[in-house]
Amino acid sequence: MTSAAILHRLSTLRLERASLLELAADPFDEARPRQVYGAVVSRVKPSPVSAPALLAYSGELAASLGLHVDDVADADAMAQVFAGNRLLPGSEPFSTCYGGHQFGQWAGQLGDGRAISLGVLKDRQGVWQELQLKGAGRTAYSRHADGRAVLRSSLREYLCSEAMHHLGVPTTRALCLVATGEAVARDMFYDGRSRAEPGAVVTRVAPSFLRFGHYEIFAARGELDVLRQLVDHTLRKHYPSLGKPSRDTYLAWFAEVCRRTAHLVAEWWRVGFVHGVMNTDNLSILGLTIDYGPYGWLDGFDLGFTPNTTDSGGRYSFGNQAQIAGWNLSCLAQALLPLVQDVPALEAALDEYRTSFELAFLHVVRSKLGLADTGEPEADIARFSALVACFSSAETDMTLFFRLLGQVAQASPGVEAALTMLNPAFYATPSVQARAGWADWLAGWLQAISAPDAGRVARMNAANPWIIPRNWLAQTAIQAAEQGDTSTLTRLMAAIRNPYAEDPAFAEFAQRRPDWARNAPGCSALSCSS
Ligand code: AMP
Ligand code: MG
């Protein structure tokens, strides 16, 4: 049988009931926003929209879910199903209850205010995947909001989830993007000027959308039975190799979450990703990048960069992400304390987070710089810190710089020639003093990589992407899509499928941020309004 033969048309696709529905459930199934006590899930149906239209879908993700899409009829059916207008057979939709620490403060109940899970489906690797609509209407957790999402933020989530996957960074995926045909009112910069924007729904796919905040809410409310149910469920379904739920496995699980989170944040470092809102409700229990809101990518390397205008103190800036992830893990530890009742053991796991991050970060540094493991981690980290100092002396495009550094490693030129090769990465010509600093750093680095190493350049090119979905690229795709033209999005999606390959057909996307985008809304300045 060919692989195409086992693909199902959407009309024959069936979902299974998510096992989360076996846990404590809200007895009321109305979408009226309220506090929901003692329940992990609330049943809710998506609210239909007037004119759903499929804007984009990820073909290979569809195929990995056993879904065959190839013609206009499929597109219409997909639009109906993934806008929430038509439920697939077997679908039992629901939203979940979670809380969270937002900007360092406990915020109480948040929950899936506009995320509705449809059910689960086994992918072709045998992994159960949950399908979730974002923007499909109000739920019990919508608080004062409308349960909808705008096209600009939905397109950003769709694009970035898929880009992250292809970059090799753990992430939730996005199956498709559907326009609702309805307008949504948003005050993008919280300045009292609300405007009508096109609405959209993005379909997310992941083995689980559980966040740290799911555990925090039950601990905060003293609902320890529900907390234990949820932890045991997480262990059984998502960490079965750790063994049967017990105090020891709870600890082993927390340590594993620490390790996965460390790996994730190091990976964000590798590709220059700034999440933008690392509240505890936006951190995945599986160590995935989740909840793409006012995220951004470093154009010029800047530890203090955050695109989120709501974060004036820079709590979630690029250089703070590792520390904040540690802080968020300590909130999770606090939530698990009633089950584990062992502060030193949880603290030991948190220490392991720091050690894991240091190791993962060292690996990132070495691979980005093409350094072999010489058994001198301090020297390698010091070399990287010196490079960061150079970056702050002359605005330097992170992605272009590291990619060009691979070419320098290949050519092995003298210092001056190396600087000339790196020139396209600078946003402005470095001052004489900055140039001297660069020359110094390059001399040391060229010396460090002088030993022959056949795999070096390939390792560097595998760690240093050629294309990332920079904010200004997403913004260009958004502006066109808002005018009904999805061709830029389609091309961008094709380009990000192969982010490490230098395909001349996509050279327009492998460019420094243009001047118009330096301070433009949607490029360097984004709010949480979405
Ligand atoms: P976020 O900033 O997207 O992580 O969302 C924080 C919380 O607000 C979550 O509980 C969301 O579900 C909820 N939320 C955000 N936007 C909306 C909306 N338009 N309608 C309902 N709930 C929302
Ligand atoms: Mg969130």
Side-chain angles (χ1 to χ4, degrees), residues 77 107 173-174 180 208 251 257 423 453 463:
R173 302 280 309 263
T180 58
S208 170
L251 269 172
V257 176
N423 211 30
D453 175 352

Side-chain angles (χ1 to χ4, degrees), residues 204-521:
R204 298 163 152 176
V205 179
S208 170
F209 296 96
L210 287 170
R211 302 129 189 272
F212 293 5
H214 275 103
Y215 308 84
E216 286 182 280
I217 187 83
F218 302 116
R221 287 174 167 172
E223 293 171 346
L224 300 188
D225 286 353
V226 187
L227 175 65
R228 187 181 297 276
Q229 264 190 34
L230 181 62
V231 171
D232 291 0
H233 164 91
T234 311
L235 278 163
R236 274 196 306 270
K237 296 291 171 191
H238 304 293
Y239 292 86
S241 64
L242 295 177
K244 277 214 332 243
S246 71
R247 194 188 143 280
D248 285 348
T249 40
Y250 295 158
L251 269 172
W253 167 60
F254 178 64
E256 177 59 17
V257 176
C258 287
R259 283 190 289 271
R260 288 195 192 188
T261 307
H263 171 72
L264 177 69
V265 178
E267 283 289 275
W268 289 351
W269 254 96
R270 179 172 68 78
V271 297
F273 177 76
V274 193
H275 182 284
V277 209
M278 288 177 72
N279 293 329
T280 57
D281 52 299
N282 291 338
L283 260 86
S284 147
I285 205 68
L286 298 183
L288 309 173
T289 313
I290 194 172
D291 241 340
Y292 290 91
Y295 68 81
W297 298 84
L298 295 190
D299 291 303
F301 185 98
D302 175 2
L303 290 176
F305 176 69
T306 173
N308 184 354
T309 52
T310 321
D311 183 14
S312 53
R315 177 181 171 88
Y316 297 141
S317 60
F318 181 69
N320 271 1
Q321 296 189 122
Q323 191 227 321
I324 288 292
W327 191 88
N328 288 348
L329 283 161
S330 67
C331 292
L332 179 60
Q334 190 70 39
L336 301 179
L337 186 56
L339 303 188
V340 173
Q341 299 200 343
D342 187 341
V343 173
L346 286 165
E347 279 175 347
L350 282 169
D351 283 343
E352 202 173 321
Y353 164 72
R354 284 176 272 277
T355 327
S356 301
F357 178 75
E358 276 166 24
L359 264 180
F361 182 67
L362 178 64
H363 178 72
V364 164
V365 163
R366 284 181 172 154
S367 45
K368 286 187 87 63
L369 292 179
L371 302 172
D373 179 356
T374 51
E376 291 181 37
E378 290 84 8
D380 294 342
I381 295 296
R383 191 175 303 286
F384 190 74
S385 303
L387 175 60
V388 171
C390 289
F391 284 148
S392 62
S393 75
E395 193 185 4
T396 315
D397 192 272
M398 174 176 174
T399 305
L400 279 184
F401 173 82
F402 282 106
R403 198 67 195 191
L404 289 168
L405 201 64
Q407 291 182 15
V408 176
Q410 172 109 49
S412 209
V415 168
E416 278 307 311
L419 253 176
T420 308
M421 289 178 77
L422 293 169
N423 211 30
F426 296 120
Y427 280 90
T429 312
S431 66
V432 174
Q433 201 187 359
R435 242 186 117 76
W438 275 109
D440 220 33
W441 186 85
L442 278 167
W445 174 75
L446 284 165
Q447 172 63 33
I449 61 152
S450 57
D453 175 352
R456 177 182 293 121
V457 176
R459 280 201 314 279
M460 290 177 79
N461 284 343
N464 296 321
W466 186 60
I467 286 193
I468 50 165
R470 298 168 187 259
N471 276 1
W472 66 271
L473 292 173
Q475 188 58 20
T476 311
I478 289 166
Q479 278 160 2
E482 286 182 344
Q483 302 307 315
D485 171 8
T486 52
S487 61
T488 310
L489 175 62
T490 305
R491 274 183 59 68
L492 200 45
M493 292 304 290
I496 55 102
R497 254 178 212 116
N498 253 321
Y500 300 95
E502 297 191 17
D503 181 345
F506 297 124
E508 80 216 70
F509 299 133
Q511 305 293 326
R512 274 183 351 205
R513 175 199 57 220
D515 271 350
W516 64 261
R518 176 176 287 274
N519 298 309

Side-chain angles (χ1 to χ4, degrees), residues 11-72:
S11 54
T12 61
L13 198 69
R14 224 195 117 77
L15 295 185
E16 302 292 325
R17 179 178 199 259
S19 54
L20 266 183
L21 284 168
E22 286 152 24
L23 307 186
D26 178 4
F28 308 105
D29 58 3
E30 47 177 350
R32 180 179 53 83
R34 61 207 144 86
Q35 292 293 307
V36 175
Y37 294 101
V40 180
V41 289
S42 297
R43 287 172 183 270
V44 62
K45 288 200 171 57
S47 305
V49 297
S50 55
L54 182 68
L55 298 182
Y57 72 94
S58 164
E60 81 265 310
L61 177 57
S64 87
L65 295 172
L67 187 59
H68 177 76
V69 194
D70 70 354
D71 63 19
V72 177

